[in-house]
Short mmCIF file of all heavy atoms in Angstrom, two decimals:
data_model
loop_
_atom_site.label_atom_id
_atom_site.label_comp_id
_atom_site.label_asym_id
_atom_site.label_seq_id
_atom_site.Cartn_x
_atom_site.Cartn_y
_atom_site.Cartn_z
N MET A 28 109.23 80.67 141.33
CA MET A 28 108.53 80.79 142.58
C MET A 28 107.96 79.44 142.98
O MET A 28 107.89 79.11 144.13
CB MET A 28 107.46 81.85 142.49
CG MET A 28 106.77 82.08 143.81
SD MET A 28 105.33 83.13 143.77
CE MET A 28 105.96 84.74 143.74
N GLY A 29 107.51 78.65 142.01
CA GLY A 29 107.05 77.31 142.34
C GLY A 29 105.58 77.26 142.72
O GLY A 29 104.86 78.24 142.69
N VAL A 30 105.16 76.08 143.08
CA VAL A 30 103.77 75.84 143.46
C VAL A 30 103.57 76.27 144.91
O VAL A 30 104.41 76.00 145.77
CB VAL A 30 103.43 74.34 143.30
CG1 VAL A 30 102.02 74.06 143.75
CG2 VAL A 30 103.63 73.93 141.86
N TRP A 31 102.46 76.92 145.16
CA TRP A 31 102.15 77.34 146.52
C TRP A 31 101.41 76.23 147.25
O TRP A 31 100.51 75.59 146.72
CB TRP A 31 101.27 78.58 146.51
CG TRP A 31 102.01 79.85 146.30
CD1 TRP A 31 103.21 80.01 145.69
CD2 TRP A 31 101.58 81.14 146.69
NE1 TRP A 31 103.56 81.32 145.67
CE2 TRP A 31 102.59 82.05 146.28
CE3 TRP A 31 100.48 81.64 147.33
CZ2 TRP A 31 102.49 83.41 146.50
CZ3 TRP A 31 100.38 82.99 147.55
CH2 TRP A 31 101.38 83.86 147.15
N SER A 32 101.75 76.03 148.50
CA SER A 32 101.00 75.11 149.33
C SER A 32 99.75 75.81 149.84
O SER A 32 99.64 77.04 149.80
CB SER A 32 101.85 74.66 150.52
OG SER A 32 102.11 75.76 151.37
N LEU A 33 98.80 75.03 150.32
CA LEU A 33 97.60 75.63 150.88
C LEU A 33 97.92 76.46 152.11
O LEU A 33 97.27 77.47 152.37
CB LEU A 33 96.58 74.54 151.23
CG LEU A 33 95.88 73.89 150.04
CD1 LEU A 33 94.94 72.79 150.53
CD2 LEU A 33 95.12 74.91 149.23
N ASP A 34 98.95 76.08 152.84
CA ASP A 34 99.36 76.84 154.02
C ASP A 34 99.85 78.23 153.62
O ASP A 34 99.49 79.22 154.25
CB ASP A 34 100.45 76.08 154.77
CG ASP A 34 100.80 76.74 156.08
OD1 ASP A 34 99.87 77.17 156.80
OD2 ASP A 34 102.00 76.82 156.39
N ARG A 35 100.63 78.30 152.58
CA ARG A 35 101.14 79.60 152.13
C ARG A 35 100.01 80.45 151.55
O ARG A 35 99.96 81.66 151.76
CB ARG A 35 102.24 79.40 151.10
CG ARG A 35 102.88 80.70 150.69
CD ARG A 35 104.14 80.48 149.93
NE ARG A 35 104.71 81.78 149.58
CZ ARG A 35 105.63 81.95 148.69
NH1 ARG A 35 106.14 80.93 148.06
NH2 ARG A 35 106.08 83.15 148.42
N LEU A 36 99.10 79.83 150.80
CA LEU A 36 97.95 80.56 150.27
C LEU A 36 97.08 81.10 151.39
O LEU A 36 96.63 82.25 151.35
CB LEU A 36 97.13 79.65 149.35
CG LEU A 36 95.89 80.27 148.71
CD1 LEU A 36 96.28 81.44 147.82
CD2 LEU A 36 95.12 79.23 147.94
N TRP A 37 96.85 80.28 152.41
CA TRP A 37 96.06 80.70 153.58
C TRP A 37 96.74 81.89 154.27
O TRP A 37 96.08 82.84 154.66
CB TRP A 37 95.90 79.52 154.52
CG TRP A 37 95.11 79.79 155.76
CD1 TRP A 37 95.56 79.74 157.02
CD2 TRP A 37 93.72 80.14 155.85
NE1 TRP A 37 94.55 80.05 157.91
CE2 TRP A 37 93.41 80.30 157.21
CE3 TRP A 37 92.72 80.36 154.91
CZ2 TRP A 37 92.14 80.65 157.65
CZ3 TRP A 37 91.45 80.71 155.36
CH2 TRP A 37 91.17 80.84 156.70
N THR A 38 98.04 81.83 154.41
CA THR A 38 98.79 82.95 155.00
C THR A 38 98.59 84.21 154.18
O THR A 38 98.32 85.29 154.71
CB THR A 38 100.28 82.61 155.10
OG1 THR A 38 100.45 81.48 155.94
CG2 THR A 38 101.08 83.77 155.64
N TYR A 39 98.71 84.09 152.85
CA TYR A 39 98.56 85.25 151.97
C TYR A 39 97.16 85.85 152.10
O TYR A 39 97.02 87.07 152.21
CB TYR A 39 98.83 84.85 150.52
CG TYR A 39 98.98 86.03 149.60
CD1 TYR A 39 100.21 86.65 149.44
CD2 TYR A 39 97.90 86.53 148.91
CE1 TYR A 39 100.35 87.74 148.61
CE2 TYR A 39 98.03 87.62 148.08
CZ TYR A 39 99.26 88.22 147.93
OH TYR A 39 99.39 89.31 147.11
N VAL A 40 96.14 85.00 152.13
CA VAL A 40 94.76 85.48 152.22
C VAL A 40 94.53 86.18 153.57
O VAL A 40 93.93 87.27 153.62
CB VAL A 40 93.76 84.33 152.01
CG1 VAL A 40 92.35 84.74 152.38
CG2 VAL A 40 93.81 83.85 150.57
N LEU A 41 94.99 85.58 154.65
CA LEU A 41 94.81 86.20 155.97
C LEU A 41 95.54 87.54 156.08
O LEU A 41 95.00 88.51 156.62
CB LEU A 41 95.27 85.25 157.07
CG LEU A 41 94.35 84.09 157.38
CD1 LEU A 41 94.95 83.21 158.47
CD2 LEU A 41 92.99 84.58 157.81
N VAL A 42 96.76 87.59 155.58
CA VAL A 42 97.52 88.85 155.63
C VAL A 42 96.85 89.90 154.73
O VAL A 42 96.77 91.07 155.09
CB VAL A 42 98.99 88.63 155.23
CG1 VAL A 42 99.73 89.94 155.08
CG2 VAL A 42 99.68 87.75 156.26
N LEU A 43 96.32 89.49 153.58
CA LEU A 43 95.64 90.41 152.69
C LEU A 43 94.39 91.00 153.34
O LEU A 43 94.18 92.21 153.32
CB LEU A 43 95.26 89.72 151.38
CG LEU A 43 94.46 90.55 150.37
CD1 LEU A 43 95.29 91.74 149.91
CD2 LEU A 43 94.05 89.70 149.20
N ILE A 44 93.58 90.16 153.96
CA ILE A 44 92.37 90.65 154.63
C ILE A 44 92.71 91.56 155.79
O ILE A 44 92.11 92.62 155.96
CB ILE A 44 91.49 89.46 155.07
CG1 ILE A 44 90.92 88.76 153.84
CG2 ILE A 44 90.37 89.92 156.00
CD1 ILE A 44 90.25 87.45 154.13
N THR A 45 93.70 91.18 156.58
CA THR A 45 94.12 92.01 157.72
C THR A 45 94.67 93.35 157.24
O THR A 45 94.35 94.41 157.81
CB THR A 45 95.18 91.28 158.55
OG1 THR A 45 94.67 90.01 158.94
CG2 THR A 45 95.58 92.08 159.76
N THR A 46 95.46 93.33 156.19
CA THR A 46 96.01 94.56 155.64
C THR A 46 94.89 95.46 155.09
O THR A 46 94.91 96.67 155.30
CB THR A 46 97.04 94.25 154.53
OG1 THR A 46 98.04 93.40 155.07
CG2 THR A 46 97.67 95.51 154.00
N ALA A 47 93.93 94.86 154.39
CA ALA A 47 92.82 95.65 153.85
C ALA A 47 92.01 96.30 154.96
O ALA A 47 91.61 97.47 154.85
CB ALA A 47 91.93 94.76 152.99
N ILE A 48 91.78 95.58 156.05
CA ILE A 48 91.05 96.16 157.18
C ILE A 48 91.84 97.31 157.79
O ILE A 48 91.29 98.36 158.11
CB ILE A 48 90.74 95.07 158.23
CG1 ILE A 48 89.70 94.11 157.68
CG2 ILE A 48 90.26 95.69 159.54
CD1 ILE A 48 89.48 92.87 158.53
N GLY A 49 93.15 97.12 157.92
CA GLY A 49 93.99 98.20 158.47
C GLY A 49 94.03 99.42 157.57
O GLY A 49 93.92 100.56 158.06
N VAL A 50 94.14 99.21 156.27
CA VAL A 50 94.16 100.34 155.32
C VAL A 50 92.82 101.05 155.34
O VAL A 50 92.75 102.29 155.32
CB VAL A 50 94.52 99.86 153.91
CG1 VAL A 50 94.28 100.94 152.87
CG2 VAL A 50 95.96 99.37 153.85
N ALA A 51 91.72 100.29 155.40
CA ALA A 51 90.39 100.90 155.45
C ALA A 51 90.21 101.71 156.73
O ALA A 51 89.64 102.82 156.70
CB ALA A 51 89.32 99.82 155.35
N ALA A 52 90.68 101.19 157.86
CA ALA A 52 90.58 101.92 159.13
C ALA A 52 91.41 103.21 159.08
O ALA A 52 90.96 104.26 159.54
CB ALA A 52 91.03 101.04 160.28
N LEU A 53 92.61 103.12 158.50
CA LEU A 53 93.44 104.31 158.37
C LEU A 53 92.77 105.34 157.46
O LEU A 53 92.73 106.53 157.77
CB LEU A 53 94.81 103.93 157.82
CG LEU A 53 95.81 105.05 157.63
CD1 LEU A 53 96.18 105.67 158.99
CD2 LEU A 53 97.05 104.53 156.94
N GLY A 54 92.20 104.87 156.35
CA GLY A 54 91.50 105.78 155.44
C GLY A 54 90.29 106.41 156.09
O GLY A 54 90.02 107.60 155.90
N ALA A 55 89.54 105.63 156.86
CA ALA A 55 88.37 106.17 157.56
C ALA A 55 88.80 107.22 158.58
O ALA A 55 88.14 108.25 158.75
CB ALA A 55 87.60 105.06 158.24
N GLY A 56 89.91 106.96 159.26
CA GLY A 56 90.42 107.95 160.21
C GLY A 56 90.83 109.24 159.52
O GLY A 56 90.55 110.34 160.03
N ILE A 57 91.45 109.12 158.37
CA ILE A 57 91.85 110.32 157.62
C ILE A 57 90.62 111.10 157.18
O ILE A 57 90.58 112.34 157.26
CB ILE A 57 92.75 109.94 156.42
CG1 ILE A 57 94.09 109.43 156.93
CG2 ILE A 57 92.92 111.11 155.47
CD1 ILE A 57 94.98 108.83 155.86
N VAL A 58 89.60 110.40 156.70
CA VAL A 58 88.36 111.07 156.27
C VAL A 58 87.71 111.77 157.45
O VAL A 58 87.20 112.89 157.31
CB VAL A 58 87.40 110.06 155.61
CG1 VAL A 58 86.01 110.65 155.44
CG2 VAL A 58 87.94 109.59 154.27
N LEU A 59 87.74 111.16 158.63
CA LEU A 59 87.16 111.80 159.82
C LEU A 59 87.96 113.03 160.24
O LEU A 59 87.39 114.05 160.63
CB LEU A 59 87.09 110.81 160.97
CG LEU A 59 86.01 109.74 160.88
CD1 LEU A 59 86.15 108.74 162.01
CD2 LEU A 59 84.63 110.37 160.91
N VAL A 60 89.28 112.95 160.15
CA VAL A 60 90.12 114.06 160.57
C VAL A 60 89.94 115.27 159.66
O VAL A 60 89.88 116.41 160.12
CB VAL A 60 91.61 113.63 160.63
CG1 VAL A 60 92.53 114.83 160.73
CG2 VAL A 60 91.84 112.69 161.79
N ILE A 61 89.84 115.03 158.36
CA ILE A 61 89.68 116.16 157.44
C ILE A 61 88.22 116.58 157.30
O ILE A 61 87.91 117.50 156.54
CB ILE A 61 90.29 115.87 156.05
CG1 ILE A 61 89.59 114.72 155.35
CG2 ILE A 61 91.77 115.63 156.16
CD1 ILE A 61 90.04 114.49 153.93
N ASP A 62 87.33 115.92 158.05
CA ASP A 62 85.91 116.26 158.10
C ASP A 62 85.30 116.26 156.70
O ASP A 62 84.73 117.25 156.25
CB ASP A 62 85.71 117.61 158.80
CG ASP A 62 84.26 117.79 159.25
OD1 ASP A 62 83.61 116.78 159.51
OD2 ASP A 62 83.81 118.95 159.32
N SER A 63 85.44 115.14 156.03
CA SER A 63 84.94 114.99 154.67
C SER A 63 83.88 113.90 154.63
O SER A 63 83.67 113.19 155.61
CB SER A 63 86.10 114.64 153.74
OG SER A 63 85.64 114.49 152.42
N GLU A 64 83.20 113.79 153.50
CA GLU A 64 82.21 112.74 153.31
C GLU A 64 82.49 112.01 152.01
O GLU A 64 82.93 112.60 151.04
CB GLU A 64 80.80 113.33 153.24
CG GLU A 64 80.25 113.78 154.55
CD GLU A 64 78.78 114.19 154.45
OE1 GLU A 64 78.12 113.80 153.48
OE2 GLU A 64 78.33 114.90 155.35
N ILE A 65 82.22 110.71 152.03
CA ILE A 65 82.34 109.89 150.83
C ILE A 65 80.99 109.23 150.62
O ILE A 65 80.48 108.56 151.52
CB ILE A 65 83.43 108.82 150.99
CG1 ILE A 65 84.79 109.48 151.19
CG2 ILE A 65 83.46 107.91 149.77
CD1 ILE A 65 85.91 108.51 151.49
N PRO A 66 80.38 109.42 149.44
CA PRO A 66 79.08 108.80 149.19
C PRO A 66 79.16 107.27 149.26
O PRO A 66 80.15 106.67 148.82
CB PRO A 66 78.71 109.24 147.78
CG PRO A 66 79.72 110.24 147.36
CD PRO A 66 80.84 110.22 148.33
N GLY A 67 78.15 106.64 149.80
CA GLY A 67 78.15 105.19 149.95
C GLY A 67 78.11 104.44 148.64
O GLY A 67 78.51 103.29 148.56
N SER A 68 77.63 105.09 147.58
CA SER A 68 77.54 104.41 146.29
C SER A 68 78.82 104.52 145.48
O SER A 68 78.91 103.96 144.38
CB SER A 68 76.38 105.01 145.48
OG SER A 68 76.62 106.39 145.24
N ASP A 69 79.82 105.23 145.97
CA ASP A 69 81.06 105.44 145.25
C ASP A 69 81.98 104.22 145.44
O ASP A 69 82.40 103.93 146.56
CB ASP A 69 81.75 106.70 145.76
CG ASP A 69 82.97 107.09 144.95
OD1 ASP A 69 83.17 106.49 143.87
OD2 ASP A 69 83.71 107.99 145.38
N PRO A 70 82.32 103.49 144.36
CA PRO A 70 83.18 102.32 144.51
C PRO A 70 84.68 102.65 144.60
O PRO A 70 85.49 101.77 144.89
CB PRO A 70 82.89 101.51 143.25
CG PRO A 70 82.53 102.53 142.24
CD PRO A 70 81.81 103.62 143.01
N ALA A 71 85.06 103.88 144.39
CA ALA A 71 86.48 104.26 144.39
C ALA A 71 87.18 103.98 145.72
O ALA A 71 88.31 103.47 145.70
CB ALA A 71 86.64 105.72 144.00
N PRO A 72 86.60 104.28 146.88
CA PRO A 72 87.32 103.99 148.13
C PRO A 72 87.64 102.51 148.32
O PRO A 72 88.72 102.17 148.79
CB PRO A 72 86.36 104.49 149.22
CG PRO A 72 85.53 105.52 148.56
CD PRO A 72 85.38 105.05 147.14
N ILE A 73 86.74 101.64 147.92
CA ILE A 73 87.00 100.21 148.04
C ILE A 73 88.13 99.79 147.11
O ILE A 73 89.02 99.02 147.49
CB ILE A 73 85.72 99.40 147.75
CG1 ILE A 73 84.66 99.72 148.81
CG2 ILE A 73 86.00 97.90 147.72
CD1 ILE A 73 83.30 99.16 148.51
N ALA A 74 88.11 100.32 145.90
CA ALA A 74 89.17 100.01 144.94
C ALA A 74 90.52 100.52 145.43
O ALA A 74 91.55 99.85 145.27
CB ALA A 74 88.84 100.61 143.58
N ILE A 75 90.53 101.69 146.05
CA ILE A 75 91.77 102.26 146.57
C ILE A 75 92.32 101.41 147.71
O ILE A 75 93.52 101.15 147.79
CB ILE A 75 91.54 103.73 147.01
CG1 ILE A 75 91.28 104.60 145.79
CG2 ILE A 75 92.72 104.25 147.82
CD1 ILE A 75 90.79 106.00 146.11
N VAL A 76 91.43 100.96 148.60
CA VAL A 76 91.86 100.10 149.72
C VAL A 76 92.52 98.84 149.19
O VAL A 76 93.62 98.46 149.64
CB VAL A 76 90.67 99.76 150.64
CG1 VAL A 76 91.02 98.61 151.57
CG2 VAL A 76 90.26 100.98 151.45
N TRP A 77 91.90 98.15 148.22
CA TRP A 77 92.48 96.92 147.69
C TRP A 77 93.75 97.20 146.90
O TRP A 77 94.69 96.41 146.95
CB TRP A 77 91.46 96.17 146.83
CG TRP A 77 90.41 95.52 147.67
CD1 TRP A 77 89.10 95.86 147.74
CD2 TRP A 77 90.57 94.43 148.60
NE1 TRP A 77 88.45 95.05 148.65
CE2 TRP A 77 89.32 94.17 149.18
CE3 TRP A 77 91.67 93.66 148.99
CZ2 TRP A 77 89.12 93.17 150.12
CZ3 TRP A 77 91.46 92.66 149.93
CH2 TRP A 77 90.21 92.43 150.49
N ALA A 78 93.79 98.33 146.19
CA ALA A 78 94.99 98.68 145.43
C ALA A 78 96.18 98.95 146.34
O ALA A 78 97.33 98.71 145.97
CB ALA A 78 94.72 99.89 144.55
N ILE A 79 95.93 99.42 147.53
CA ILE A 79 97.01 99.65 148.49
C ILE A 79 97.35 98.36 149.24
O ILE A 79 98.51 98.07 149.53
CB ILE A 79 96.61 100.78 149.48
CG1 ILE A 79 96.51 102.11 148.72
CG2 ILE A 79 97.60 100.88 150.63
CD1 ILE A 79 95.92 103.24 149.54
N ALA A 80 96.32 97.55 149.56
CA ALA A 80 96.53 96.34 150.36
C ALA A 80 97.31 95.26 149.61
O ALA A 80 98.13 94.56 150.22
CB ALA A 80 95.19 95.78 150.82
N TYR A 81 97.09 95.11 148.30
CA TYR A 81 97.79 94.05 147.57
C TYR A 81 99.31 94.21 147.58
O TYR A 81 100.02 93.25 147.90
CB TYR A 81 97.28 93.97 146.13
CG TYR A 81 96.05 93.10 145.98
CD1 TYR A 81 94.83 93.65 145.62
CD2 TYR A 81 96.10 91.74 146.19
CE1 TYR A 81 93.70 92.87 145.48
CE2 TYR A 81 94.98 90.94 146.06
CZ TYR A 81 93.78 91.51 145.70
OH TYR A 81 92.67 90.74 145.57
N PRO A 82 99.86 95.38 147.24
CA PRO A 82 101.33 95.47 147.26
C PRO A 82 101.92 95.34 148.67
O PRO A 82 103.00 94.77 148.84
CB PRO A 82 101.64 96.85 146.68
CG PRO A 82 100.37 97.44 146.25
CD PRO A 82 99.25 96.55 146.66
N ILE A 83 101.20 95.86 149.67
CA ILE A 83 101.69 95.72 151.04
C ILE A 83 101.74 94.24 151.43
O ILE A 83 102.71 93.77 152.03
CB ILE A 83 100.81 96.53 152.03
CG1 ILE A 83 100.99 98.02 151.78
CG2 ILE A 83 101.14 96.18 153.47
CD1 ILE A 83 100.04 98.90 152.56
N THR A 84 100.70 93.49 151.07
CA THR A 84 100.66 92.06 151.35
C THR A 84 101.78 91.33 150.63
O THR A 84 102.43 90.45 151.20
CB THR A 84 99.30 91.47 150.95
OG1 THR A 84 98.28 92.16 151.67
CG2 THR A 84 99.23 89.99 151.25
N PHE A 85 102.02 91.69 149.39
CA PHE A 85 103.10 91.06 148.63
C PHE A 85 104.44 91.25 149.35
O PHE A 85 105.21 90.31 149.50
CB PHE A 85 103.18 91.65 147.22
CG PHE A 85 104.33 91.11 146.42
CD1 PHE A 85 104.24 89.88 145.80
CD2 PHE A 85 105.52 91.82 146.31
CE1 PHE A 85 105.30 89.37 145.08
CE2 PHE A 85 106.58 91.33 145.60
CZ PHE A 85 106.48 90.09 144.97
N VAL A 86 104.69 92.47 149.80
CA VAL A 86 105.95 92.75 150.50
C VAL A 86 106.02 91.98 151.81
O VAL A 86 107.05 91.38 152.13
CB VAL A 86 106.11 94.27 150.74
CG1 VAL A 86 107.26 94.56 151.68
CG2 VAL A 86 106.30 94.99 149.41
N LEU A 87 104.94 91.96 152.56
CA LEU A 87 104.95 91.29 153.85
C LEU A 87 105.15 89.78 153.72
O LEU A 87 105.93 89.18 154.47
CB LEU A 87 103.63 91.55 154.60
CG LEU A 87 103.43 92.97 155.13
CD1 LEU A 87 102.03 93.11 155.70
CD2 LEU A 87 104.47 93.33 156.16
N VAL A 88 104.49 89.15 152.76
CA VAL A 88 104.55 87.70 152.64
C VAL A 88 105.78 87.24 151.86
O VAL A 88 106.47 86.30 152.27
CB VAL A 88 103.26 87.16 151.99
CG1 VAL A 88 103.37 85.67 151.71
CG2 VAL A 88 102.05 87.42 152.89
N ASN A 89 106.08 87.88 150.77
CA ASN A 89 107.16 87.40 149.89
C ASN A 89 108.54 87.98 150.23
O ASN A 89 109.54 87.30 150.05
CB ASN A 89 106.83 87.67 148.43
CG ASN A 89 105.66 86.84 147.96
OD1 ASN A 89 105.53 85.69 148.36
ND2 ASN A 89 104.82 87.43 147.14
N ARG A 90 108.59 89.21 150.63
CA ARG A 90 109.89 89.83 150.89
C ARG A 90 110.32 89.70 152.35
O ARG A 90 111.45 89.37 152.66
CB ARG A 90 109.88 91.31 150.49
CG ARG A 90 109.58 91.55 149.06
CD ARG A 90 110.73 91.10 148.21
NE ARG A 90 110.48 91.46 146.80
CZ ARG A 90 110.68 90.65 145.80
NH1 ARG A 90 111.15 89.45 146.01
NH2 ARG A 90 110.41 91.02 144.59
N ILE A 91 109.40 89.98 153.26
CA ILE A 91 109.72 89.91 154.69
C ILE A 91 109.59 88.47 155.19
O ILE A 91 110.29 88.05 156.08
CB ILE A 91 108.85 90.89 155.48
CG1 ILE A 91 109.17 92.33 155.05
CG2 ILE A 91 109.03 90.71 156.98
CD1 ILE A 91 108.31 93.39 155.69
N GLY A 92 108.67 87.73 154.60
CA GLY A 92 108.53 86.31 154.94
C GLY A 92 107.64 86.01 156.12
O GLY A 92 107.94 85.12 156.90
N ILE A 93 106.55 86.74 156.26
CA ILE A 93 105.61 86.46 157.34
C ILE A 93 105.02 85.07 157.14
O ILE A 93 104.58 84.71 156.06
CB ILE A 93 104.50 87.52 157.38
CG1 ILE A 93 105.06 88.85 157.85
CG2 ILE A 93 103.34 87.08 158.26
CD1 ILE A 93 104.06 89.95 157.94
N ARG A 94 105.00 84.28 158.19
CA ARG A 94 104.39 82.94 158.17
C ARG A 94 103.47 82.82 159.37
O ARG A 94 103.80 83.25 160.47
CB ARG A 94 105.48 81.86 158.26
CG ARG A 94 106.45 81.86 157.14
CD ARG A 94 105.84 81.24 155.90
NE ARG A 94 106.82 81.19 154.83
CZ ARG A 94 106.74 81.91 153.71
NH1 ARG A 94 105.76 82.74 153.53
NH2 ARG A 94 107.64 81.80 152.77
N LEU A 95 102.33 82.22 159.14
CA LEU A 95 101.36 82.03 160.23
C LEU A 95 101.31 80.57 160.64
O LEU A 95 101.57 79.69 159.93
CB LEU A 95 99.96 82.48 159.81
CG LEU A 95 99.83 83.95 159.43
CD1 LEU A 95 98.41 84.24 158.99
CD2 LEU A 95 100.21 84.85 160.58
#
C-alpha cells in the first residue's frame, strides 16, 4: 500500500467523519421511528456508529477511490 500522503490522510479523515455523521443520523432516525430510547450514559451507540463508519470509509476511499 505504501506511505500515505497528508492529502490522502486528510481525505480519509474527512470521509470518516462525514460517514460517522451520516450513520449517526440514520441511527437516530431509526430510533425515532421505532419510538425507542437510548440512555445518554450508554457508550454502545457511539461504538456501533464508529464500527459501521470505519468499514464504509475503507470501501469508499480505498476501493471506490474517493479523492477530495
Side-chain angles (χ1 to χ4, degrees):
M28 184 189 280
V30 177
W31 279 25
S32 66
L33 287 178
D34 187 42
R35 185 167 180 196
L36 180 62
W37 181 244
T38 298
Y39 192 86
V40 168
L41 285 179
V42 172
L43 177 63
I44 292 170
T45 305
T46 304
I48 291 170
V50 169
L53 181 64
I57 291 171
V58 168
L59 286 174
V60 166
I61 63 174
D62 198 28
S63 180
E64 286 187 18
I65 298 174
S68 62
D69 187 10
I73 296 171
I75 292 169
V76 165
W77 287 111
I79 294 171
Y81 274 114
I83 292 172
T84 301
F85 176 81
V86 169
L87 289 174
V88 174
N89 292 323
R90 300 290 185 225
I91 296 176
I93 290 181
R94 298 283 183 248
L95 299 178

